[in-house]
Amino acid sequence: CIPWQTIQQRSRGHIQIKKKPDNQWGVFSSRTHAKGTIVISSQPVRDEFSPTPGVPNPKSTSCSHAIQISWNEHMMMDLPARFLNHSCDPNVGVGNELNEWGSYDFVALRDIAAGEEIRFDYETTEHEIGAFSECHCGASTCRGHVHGFKLSGDAIYKKYGGKNIAKYLLENRA
């Protein structure tokens, strides 16, 4: 487990969490990030109330702040990754493999400018999304809905060319 101070130091100077005009939280870049670089490396939140304190506590059910890591597991990511919002035209994507902490690294899909909100496509990690279905991301390519890979898999696979999609979602693709 990485101490919170290390996480803050790791992101100091290049990531900010702040409230947006719509009163929602967002993650913003404080500097430029080159395409292909890791922008955020997340890890699971440790649950001090679990039977094994300090051990990640993946859940079988989803909630609006959990992310799916396998067919039967969702987990809560640490900050700043937990506050990443959705976009149908994201500037970061997930690594196909989970990182050393059992969570996702978020990689720049294109160059990211200072001040830009950092967002990823929820349909690249979620098989089904139940917390909401309408999309209001504001992208010119907005799909208008966010259902999950189960219903949008072909379009998501085509958009990302099979990259930056959770590995478990790609397991059954021919």
Side-chain angles (χ1 to χ4, degrees), residues 8-22:
Q8 286 181 317
Q9 187 174 14
R10 184 178 65 196
S11 64
R12 184 171 287 127
H14 72 273
I15 300 293
Q16 289 182 324
I17 298 172
K18 58 186 180 179
K19 283 218 175 183
K20 302 182 339 175
D22 63 2

Side-chain angles (χ1 to χ4, degrees), residues 4-162:
W4 173 245
Q5 295 84 0
T6 304
I7 292 168
Q8 286 181 317
Q9 187 174 14
R10 184 178 65 196
S11 64
R12 184 171 287 127
H14 72 273
I15 300 293
Q16 289 182 324
I17 298 172
K18 58 186 180 179
K19 283 218 175 183
K20 302 182 339 175
D22 63 2
N23 211 28
Q24 299 295 314
W25 290 101
V27 179
F28 294 82
S29 178
S30 297
R31 66 168 176 81
T32 58
H33 296 272
K35 179 180 178 178
T37 61
I38 294 174
V39 178
I40 296 173
S41 186
S42 70
Q43 70 171 343
V45 169
R46 307 303 180 182
D47 186 350
E48 68 250 33
F49 303 108
S50 77
T52 313
V55 175
N57 195 9
K59 309 287 187 211
S60 61
T61 58
S62 176
C63 75
S64 63
H65 288 288
I67 192 167
Q68 194 164 359
I69 58 172
S70 71
W71 290 109
N72 301 312
E73 292 179 306
H74 287 79
M75 64 141 191
M76 189 74 69
M77 292 184 296
D78 64 350
L79 295 173
R82 186 179 334 149
F83 287 153
L84 289 171
N85 290 314
H86 166 78
S87 177
C88 293
D89 187 23
N91 51 14
V92 296
V94 295
N96 291 80
E97 302 277 342
L98 295 177
N99 64 25
E100 63 188 287
W101 301 293
S103 190
Y104 293 108
D105 288 332
F106 294 87
V107 179
L109 299 176
R110 58 171 174 74
D111 290 344
I112 301 171
E116 237 183 291
E117 184 177 3
I118 299 169
R119 302 192 297 172
F120 83 103
D121 189 336
Y122 290 178
E123 292 188 305
T124 62
T125 61
E126 304 300 311
H127 182 246
E128 291 183 90
I129 296 175
F132 58 91
S133 62
E134 287 185 23
C135 182
H136 303 283
C137 72
S140 62
T141 57
C142 180
R143 295 185 292 273
H145 59 81
V146 186
H147 296 297
F149 200 79
K150 179 179 181 179
L151 296 177
S152 304
D154 290 339
I156 297 301
Y157 188 86
K158 183 178 178 181
K159 176 178 176 88
Y160 298 103

